[in-house]
Amino acid sequence: MVIIATASSLDGSSSATGNEAFYSEMMIQLANQIYTLTKPFTETIGKPFQNHFYEPTISQLDKISSSIGIDISQFVYMMFLFLNFPLALLFRKVIPNGTAKHLLSVVIGLFYCFFTFHWQTLHALFIALINYIWIVIFPNKSLGFFPLFSFLLGFTYLTLCHLHRMSTNYLGWTLDFTGLQMLITLKIISVTFNVYDGAKYKKLKSAMNDKAADNNNGTEMNESHIKNRMDRIPTPLEYFGFLFMPIPVLSGPIYEMKSYLDFVNGVNLNENIPTLNILKNIFFSMWNMLLFMMFGNLLGREQLVEYIYSPIAQNDSIFKKIFNTWLFILFVRVKYYIAWHLSESALLISGFKIQTMDYLKMELSSNLRDITTNWNISVSNWLKYYVYTRISNGQSWKSTLMTFVVSSLWHGLYPGYYLMWVSYALSLQFIGRLAHRKIRPYFLKDVRNVFSERNSKISSIVYKVLSYSVTQVVASYLLPPFVLLSLDDSLQFYRFTNWIGHFMFIPLYAVLTLIPTKREKKQHSA
């Protein structure tokens, strides 16, 4: 049995050659080795499950999905997102705290994964097990190499998974196991860092008093490192329950081990179900589902590619090109909004305190930083806690650049990711922040709060509209390579827009530099 067979036989896929094919073959061989090692399990439990439950069930689900025109993998994915709601009530009202919740997380979470991704789920289990062994056996857990190895291990294996996908489904957007692998990678790294921070904090406490350690006197630990630290190694049940908690296992969000343990032990939960927040999330999810059903086939990646190569569109004005690109990028985001809002709603029902994104803040972002922080809040926080603040303590442009590079590597190996993130990082660091510092004080007396009472309503509204418009134009130029993926299509987009953003970068930076810095007037008390 070849575990990767389902991915390598996708309709409409095109095979890559050279190194990508080599690494894909390596992944297939590795997957077969994992299957051989787990053969006793698959023979005794896997085959009866597949023959008597999975195949009859998937056959019926395939008929339903075909009748409504939805791919079977997407239908199964959405089915589990909706099943999360009764499961959330089960977690909240029925299952006792502690071991029972851990067991339910592992069993139901793995069921979700195996049903959705079949034996490809073994990739996630394999790397999780190797990482746990590393956490247990490494002697000096306060040594920087301890979490660094976990980081390299997770991202190396994830890179192999991405290479396999590129060679079997090049430029495809079909649902496969790499999405699960991406989430598991961030989780195993965060646990290792948590244990490392706990050991480092303990070492600091032995050298100074508790208060000095908490205040981070002379150390590289910040508040988040101290807050999320683990003072012990999690048990195997805690570890795998954390990794495969069913409600967020397929779509996210990412959460901390301490938050999961609080949830399982009934600590720091939502005392009452936040009905208004849940209804708001469900509304946004259904709204985006309606948009996707109406326009998803008209405004997607394939249509964007057709547009930028269209001879007729070449004659469009630059404003029309940017506006149309903005529409394409908007509808690419829609399907993510559907899943994230449903997942967050189920977590809130279960008692888990978390936020995956802020829909309105994201869509109304008036600067580049807000787009990245509000798009996928949990991943943004992970990058902040485990990359940005770990490099120069987050005080250097290197921190910003490396954070975007790691984000690119996490998403995959397509050149478009790197073109987008590096361009975005440079624009944010050298244009966005400079514009914020130089221009904002000319509109606002209180630069920290646009709609502060100290600012006139007219100036606040004018500033908000202008900054929103400029941000959307800039983002519509920077983001397309992330969707286009390939180098050829990304460069074609730049040619299509006459490289206007790149040509304007240095002149715009020079102009912003020359603008006099206006100091904020402090409010004097009477």
Side-chain angles (χ1 to χ4, degrees), residues 345-453:
S345 297
L347 282 171
L348 291 174
I349 291 174
S350 71
F352 211 106
K353 290 182 178 179
I354 200 163
Q355 185 178 22
T356 58
M357 63 162 297
D358 192 313
Y359 179 74
L360 291 179
K361 282 187 178 180
M362 169 61 201
E363 289 304 321
L364 298 177
S365 293
S366 56
N367 60 70
L368 294 177
R369 183 184 61 83
D370 284 353
I371 291 178
T372 57
T373 55
N374 291 310
W375 163 243
N376 189 339
I377 292 175
S378 65
V379 172
S380 177
N381 286 338
W382 188 94
L383 290 167
K384 176 182 177 182
Y385 298 152
Y386 301 107
V387 181
Y388 184 80
T389 57
R390 307 283 173 168
I391 301 172
S392 303
N393 204 24
Q395 300 299 317
S396 167
W397 64 270
K398 297 177 184 177
S399 303
T400 301
L401 184 59
M402 283 305 300
T403 300
F404 282 110
V405 170
V406 170
S407 180
S408 302
L409 187 62
W410 182 67
H411 282 93
L413 298 174
Y414 287 110
Y417 293 141
Y418 299 86
L419 284 173
M420 190 283 273
W421 282 121
V422 171
S423 299
Y424 203 100
L426 294 174
S427 299
L428 174 60
Q429 184 71 29
F430 294 103
I431 302 295
R433 290 176 177 172
L434 185 59
H436 185 277
R437 187 170 70 252
K438 293 279 190 171
I439 297 175
R440 198 176 177 100
Y442 283 92
F443 287 86
L444 308 173
K445 293 179 180 179
D446 183 355
V447 297
R448 295 170 184 80
N449 185 356
V450 176
F451 294 101
S452 167
E453 293 181 356

Side-chain angles (χ1 to χ4, degrees), residues 36 95 99 119 143 193 202 423 472 498 505 509:
T36 301
I95 306 301
T99 302
W119 301 114
L143 194 65
F193 265 108
K202 184 178 180 180
S423 299
Q472 298 307 311
N498 301 315
F505 185 90
Y509 178 76

Side-chain angles (χ1 to χ4, degrees), residues 281-300:
N281 284 337
I282 293 175
F283 169 78
F284 284 137
S285 181
M286 295 300 104
W287 166 249
N288 283 282
M289 189 178 295
L290 178 63
L291 291 176
F292 183 74
M293 294 173 65
M294 293 174 62
F295 304 108
N297 293 327
L298 300 175
L299 294 167

Side-chain angles (χ1 to χ4, degrees), residues 98-328:
T99 302
K101 284 187 175 179
H102 286 307
L103 286 172
L104 187 66
S105 287
V106 174
V107 173
I108 301 299
L110 287 176
F111 172 77
Y112 275 18
C113 294
F114 276 105
F115 198 96
T116 305
F117 306 116
H118 318 293
W119 301 114
Q120 294 170 328
T121 302
L122 291 174
H123 286 294
L125 277 170
F126 172 73
I127 201 64
L129 180 61
I130 296 299
N131 188 73
Y132 187 74
I133 293 173
W134 171 253
I135 291 175
V136 172
I137 67 172
F138 191 78
N140 187 357
K141 294 176 175 49
S142 63
L143 194 65
F145 179 72
F146 172 57
L148 178 62
F149 177 84
S150 178
F151 195 101
L152 295 175
L153 172 72
F155 270 91
T156 299
Y157 199 88
L158 178 61
T159 298
L160 292 175
C161 294
H162 282 314
L163 282 168
H164 167 75
R165 180 184 173 100
M166 289 177 70
S167 66
T168 57
N169 188 26
Y170 191 68
L171 299 181
W173 283 58
T174 307
L175 181 69
D176 82 335
F177 79 102
T178 53
L180 171 65
Q181 200 71 29
M182 290 167 69
L183 296 173
I184 293 296
T185 297
L186 299 191
K187 291 177 186 178
I188 64 173
I189 293 171
S190 69
V191 174
T192 313
F193 265 108
N194 296 156
V195 175
Y196 161 74
D197 288 334
K200 188 176 180 180
Y201 182 79
K202 184 178 180 180
K203 189 175 180 180
L204 288 172
K205 284 180 66 175
S206 65
M208 61 181 72
N209 59 53
D210 292 358
K211 186 175 181 180
D214 286 334
N215 290 336
N216 188 26
N217 290 344
T219 77
E220 295 180 356
M221 296 187 72
N222 65 21
E223 184 179 350
S224 66
H225 302 166
I226 296 172
K227 176 184 176 183
N228 295 321
R229 75 184 190 277
M230 288 286 294
D231 296 322
R232 61 177 178 83
I233 297 173
T235 66
L237 190 59
E238 291 172 336
Y239 178 75
F240 285 97
F242 163 72
L243 296 181
F244 291 97
M245 183 183 174
I247 295 175
V249 72
L250 297 180
S251 61
I254 301 296
Y255 45 92
E256 296 291 340
M257 169 63 88
K258 271 200 169 182
S259 299
Y260 169 74
L261 293 177
D262 284 347
F263 166 75
V264 167
N265 294 316
V267 178
N268 196 29
L269 302 180
N270 292 319
E271 295 183 4
N272 300 306
I273 295 177
T275 306
L276 289 178
N277 284 345
I278 293 169
L279 290 176
K280 180 187 70 174
N281 284 337
I282 293 175
F283 169 78
F284 284 137
S285 181
M286 295 300 104
W287 166 249
N288 283 282
M289 189 178 295
L290 178 63
L291 291 176
F292 183 74
M293 294 173 65
M294 293 174 62
F295 304 108
N297 293 327
L298 300 175
L299 294 167
R301 179 191 174 276
E302 294 79 8
Q303 290 73 28
L304 176 58
V305 172
E306 291 177 7
Y307 178 64
I308 63 176
Y309 282 101
S310 169
I312 298 176
Q314 303 298 325
N315 298 321
D316 289 346
S317 69
I318 188 63
F319 299 104
K320 185 175 181 180
K321 289 177 180 179
I322 292 296
F323 176 76
N324 288 338
T325 302
W326 176 80
L327 282 177
F328 284 116

Side-chain angles (χ1 to χ4, degrees), residues 48-65:
F49 171 82
Q50 181 169 341
N51 295 336
H52 300 295
F53 177 78
Y54 176 76
E55 289 184 355
T57 303
I58 205 69
S59 177
Q60 294 300 317
L61 294 176
D62 189 33
K63 293 178 182 178
I64 298 173
S65 65

